[in-house]
């Protein structure tokens, strides 16, 4: 789980005094402790029962673009979102002991060990082939653009009265790493902010003890449209029901409520959501062994590459075009289309349908092209059953019933042919080649010999690589279990 740098008890005591001074109330049933590995965690001193309120945090105690001493400069520069919060954090850090949040900021690390702040060449080497390789490259590019366009002018203006180095690109990356790991959506007025105490609870997948909510549940659940959560998680880490009054800030305290019982001595966990290791490493700087939410993505371009090598580029383009024409698509991001392979090696249904279309005989393909417009329904394919129903129409064209009386075969079985299974194995091989020359066995041996504390970036990148490669192995095993075509005996 996420850890801070070594934290002397004196800093913890200073933070506990800070909480009392700023109206942050932490139950006597909780204790903040320094771990042996370095950092802070929360444990139960007494039995915690569902519904117990174990902390209240005034909104004014949160570090946000509204509460920061940089509020006027942020407003003048017309900064918003997490960019504004990053400036607020950098500014308050630069103020040192003069900042109202000094004892809080001293407790948390300067940055979180997410790939964004790893040396660029190290990140490229360790993440090669993984789901994060391109994501981290894009992060760096976008943040460099943001810094040049928005923060450099702020430095030049001198309005904040801090040293240029306090707002450097390196400090900006560091601040962004904190926001991705620690900030929470507070309300429409404040936006996202740093919530002291709330961010000290470590994550455990499916092991949440505490949840954050607003004390006055009568407020509406209206949100601001985007960034509704812990700056990097899903709705499970949001501050619920936290809309602001139209006239300004909502002064209701944030509450931390027990949602699962904990016994004395237990560490008390939050959850950042149900995330695979790629998301956990990207946003929080750690991974979990045997994470059931891990997936592997296979880009449509990789499938097209395989098809082009087996047939031709023109052939691949035509088959993918028909697949799209019939209303199918993979998952999409800003500039890519891809297919998900689940933790157990199950391929996305749309990928199987694409492979089915790729293997159609030319005359059957031509027939399907002629009737494709008639097969496209008005409704979106919202779930697997919708996709299967849609594919059943394709099957009726590609495998017409003899004499009009043959029953429609189980359409899912048609997607589990020997040919499609062989294609999946080949595609898995191409996807795995992106990891480089080392084998899965090599990576597993390196992981066993690696220290999660002393070699943190290597350890967590290996956990990610090993998990993804095991999923590809399960995909191959899954596909190889499909029935083989029986060969006819010659007499």
């Amino acid at each position: 789980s996420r850890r801070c740098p070594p934290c002397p008890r004196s800093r913890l005591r200073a933070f506990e005094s800070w909480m009392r001074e700023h109206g942050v109330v932490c139950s006597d049933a909780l204790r903040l402790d320094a771990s042996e590995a370095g950092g802070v965690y929360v444990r139960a001193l007494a039995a915690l029962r569902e519904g117990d309120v174990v902390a209240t945090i005034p909104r004014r105690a949160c570090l946000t673009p509204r509460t920061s001493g940089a509020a006027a400069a942020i407003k003048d520069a017309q900064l918003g979102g997490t960019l504004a919060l990053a400036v607020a954090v950098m500014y308050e850090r630069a103020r040192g002991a003069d900042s109202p949040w000094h004892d809080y900021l001293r407790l948390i690390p300067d940055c979180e060990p997410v790939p964004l702040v790893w040396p660029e060449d190290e990140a490229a080497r360790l993440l090669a082939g993984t789901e994060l390789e391109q994501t981290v490259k894009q992060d760096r590019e976008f943040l460099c653009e943001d810094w040049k366009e928005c923060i450099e002018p702020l430095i030049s203006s001198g309005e904040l009265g801090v040293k240029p180095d306090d707002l450097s690109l390196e400090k900006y990356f560091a601040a962004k790493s904190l926001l991705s790991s620690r900030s929470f959506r507070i309300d429409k007025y404040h936006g996202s902010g740093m919530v002291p105490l709330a961010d000290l609870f470590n994550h455990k997948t499916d092991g949440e003890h505490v949840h954050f909510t607003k004390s006055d549940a009568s407020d509406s659940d209206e949100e601001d449209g985007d960034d509704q959560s812990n700056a990097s998680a899903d709705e499970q880490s949001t501050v619920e029901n936290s809309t602001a009054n139209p006239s300004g800030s909502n002064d209701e305290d944030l509450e931390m409520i027990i949602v699962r019982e904990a016994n004395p001595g237990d560490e008390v966990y939050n959850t950042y959501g149900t995330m695979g290791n790629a998301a956990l490493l990207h946003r929080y700087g750690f991974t979990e062994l045997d994470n059931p939410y891990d997936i592997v993505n296979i880009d449509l371009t990789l499938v097209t590459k395989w098809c082009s090598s087996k047939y031709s580029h023109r052939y691949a383009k035509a088959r993918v075009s028909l697949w799209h024409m019939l209303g199918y698509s993979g998952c999409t991001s800003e500039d890519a289309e891809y297919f998900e392979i689940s933790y157990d090696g199950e391929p996305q249904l749309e990928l199987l349908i694409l492979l089915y279309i790729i293997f159609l005989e030319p005359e059957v393909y031509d027939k399907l092209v002629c009737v494709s417009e008639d097969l496209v329904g008005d409704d979106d394919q919202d779930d697997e059953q919708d996709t299967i129903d849609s594919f059943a129409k394709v099957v009726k064209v590609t495998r017409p019933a003899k004499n009009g009386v043959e029953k429609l075969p189980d359409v899912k079985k048609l997607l589990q042919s020997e040919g499609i299974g062989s294609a999946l194995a080949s595609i898995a091989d191409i996807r795995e080649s992106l990891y480089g020359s080392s084998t899965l066995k090599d990576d597993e041996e390196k992981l066993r010999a690696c220290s999660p504390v002393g070699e943190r970036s290597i350890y967590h990148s290996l956990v990610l690589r090993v998990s993804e490669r095991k999923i590809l192995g399960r995909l191959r095993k899954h596909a190889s279990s499909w029935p083989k075509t029986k060969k006819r005996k010659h007499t």
Side-chain angles (χ1 to χ4, degrees):
S1 192
R2 177 186 63 198
R3 298 294 175 192
C4 306
C7 177
R9 282 296 309 173
S10 59
R11 290 190 181 184
L12 269 177
R13 287 196 297 269
F15 176 65
E16 288 165 349
S17 295
W18 181 92
M19 287 195 294
R20 288 191 292 271
E21 291 169 8
H22 290 80
V24 178
V25 179
C26 183
S27 168
D28 291 339
L30 296 181
R31 178 183 173 91
L32 306 184
D33 261 337
S35 68
E36 292 181 5
V40 180
Y41 70 100
V42 184
R43 66 183 176 93
L45 291 180
L48 301 176
R49 299 292 175 250
E50 187 174 341
D52 289 351
V53 176
V54 291
T56 57
I57 306 163
R59 292 168 196 252
R60 64 180 180 278
C62 300
L63 172 49
T64 77
R66 295 275 194 175
T67 59
S68 167
I74 289 171
K75 183 178 180 181
D76 290 345
Q78 298 182 324
L79 304 181
T82 55
L83 179 59
L85 180 56
V87 170
V89 169
M90 288 189 287
Y91 174 76
E92 296 301 337
R93 277 208 183 280
R95 294 179 70 188
D98 291 333
S99 170
W101 291 274
H102 177 60
D103 288 321
Y104 161 64
L105 294 173
R106 281 205 312 156
L107 191 70
I108 63 175
D110 292 335
C111 66
E112 294 291 351
V114 296
L116 174 66
V117 298
W118 298 356
E120 193 167 356
D121 58 342
E122 179 181 288
R125 176 171 50 84
L126 295 179
L127 299 176
T130 69
E131 293 301 310
L132 285 187
E133 181 179 17
Q134 294 303 317
T135 302
V136 173
K137 287 180 182 177
Q138 290 174 350
D139 284 349
R140 289 178 180 275
E141 292 170 4
F142 293 150
L143 292 181
C144 283
E145 289 176 12
D146 285 346
W147 185 83
K148 286 181 179 295
E149 291 178 11
C150 303
I151 297 179
E152 265 198 335
L154 203 56
I155 295 172
S156 301
S157 73
E159 187 175 351
L160 287 176
V162 296
K163 298 175 183 176
D165 183 59
D166 291 327
L167 300 177
S168 67
L169 181 62
E170 182 182 358
K171 295 282 177 65
Y172 179 52
F173 275 24
K176 289 292 284 190
S177 76
L178 289 177
L179 307 195
S180 75
S181 179
R182 294 176 177 273
S183 68
F184 289 84
R185 176 74 182 175
I186 296 174
D187 56 35
K188 191 171 183 178
Y189 177 79
H190 289 284
S192 291
M194 306 294 282
V195 184
L197 181 60
D199 62 352
L200 299 183
F201 291 81
N202 285 314
H203 163 86
K204 187 175 184 180
T205 296
D206 295 331
E208 176 187 28
H209 293 105
V210 293
H211 195 72
F212 302 88
T213 186
K214 182 181 166 301
S215 59
D216 182 2
S218 64
D219 271 5
S220 67
D221 197 22
E222 179 187 352
E223 281 289 2
D224 199 22
D226 63 346
D227 194 21
Q228 295 182 16
S229 61
N230 175 306
S232 325
D234 63 17
E235 287 77 7
Q236 295 195 44
S237 283
T238 64
V239 179
E240 292 185 341
N241 299 323
S242 56
T243 187
N245 290 325
S247 59
S249 174
N250 186 332
D251 291 330
E252 295 291 345
D253 290 348
L254 308 176
E255 290 183 341
M256 301 165 64
I257 298 178
I258 297 297
V259 294
R260 187 167 67 90
E261 293 185 356
N263 296 317
D266 289 349
E267 179 168 0
V268 182
Y269 290 102
N270 177 23
T271 182
Y272 307 153
T274 51
M275 296 186 189
N277 279 327
L280 286 175
L281 183 55
H282 180 222
R283 299 166 177 179
Y284 305 105
F286 66 87
T287 56
E288 294 180 321
L289 294 171
D290 302 315
N291 186 331
Y293 298 102
D294 275 350
I295 58 170
V296 170
N297 293 334
I298 293 179
D299 284 353
L300 176 60
T301 54
L302 190 149
V303 180
T304 305
K305 178 182 176 182
W306 162 81
C307 184
S308 297
S309 67
K310 185 175 177 66
Y311 300 101
S312 69
H313 177 69
R314 183 177 179 182
Y315 182 101
K317 187 176 180 181
R319 298 295 168 125
V320 172
S321 177
L322 175 58
W323 176 74
H324 277 141
M325 197 183 307
L326 290 167
Y328 299 109
S329 65
C331 305
T332 55
S333 61
E334 290 181 0
D335 54 358
E337 189 170 354
Y338 59 91
F339 305 99
E340 289 186 353
I341 310 300
S342 68
Y343 180 76
D344 62 3
E346 181 82 28
Q348 190 172 330
L349 189 58
E350 286 80 2
L351 171 57
L352 299 181
I353 294 173
L354 173 57
L355 294 175
Y356 178 87
I357 291 172
I358 286 173
F359 282 120
L360 289 176
E361 294 295 331
E363 62 275 12
V364 180
Y365 164 79
D366 291 338
K367 183 178 180 182
L368 190 56
V369 169
C370 290
V371 299
S372 60
E373 290 187 6
D374 298 330
L375 297 181
V376 179
D378 296 330
D379 298 330
D380 292 333
Q381 295 170 17
D382 294 327
D383 56 30
E384 183 176 293
Q385 189 56 52
D386 290 339
T387 303
I388 292 172
D389 292 343
S390 167
F391 180 60
K393 297 177 185 177
V394 173
V395 172
K396 286 181 179 178
V397 175
T398 59
R399 293 172 60 95
K402 296 176 182 177
N403 303 321
V405 295
E406 185 179 329
K407 289 184 178 180
L408 185 70
D410 181 345
V411 293
K412 290 193 81 171
K413 287 183 179 178
L414 293 178
L415 297 173
Q416 297 178 351
S417 67
E418 182 179 5
I420 291 177
S422 176
L424 285 172
S426 297
I427 290 167
D429 289 343
I430 298 172
R431 175 65 180 81
E432 186 148 17
S433 70
L434 301 179
Y435 296 105
S437 58
S438 67
T439 64
L440 171 58
K441 186 177 179 181
D442 293 336
D443 284 346
E444 287 178 319
E445 288 177 355
K446 290 178 187 175
L447 180 58
R448 281 193 291 270
C450 191
S451 165
V453 178
E455 303 168 288
R456 188 180 180 107
S457 57
I458 298 173
Y459 174 84
H460 290 295
S461 62
L462 280 170
V463 171
L464 179 61
R465 284 167 62 91
V466 166
S467 180
E468 290 182 2
R469 298 182 84 162
K470 283 183 175 179
I471 290 172
L472 291 172
R474 288 192 281 271
L475 171 62
R476 293 189 193 92
K477 185 177 181 180
H478 187 74
S480 68
S481 68
W482 293 345
K484 301 292 188 287
T485 304
K486 294 180 180 179
K487 295 182 179 179
R488 294 180 180 177
K489 293 182 180 179
H490 295 279
T491 55

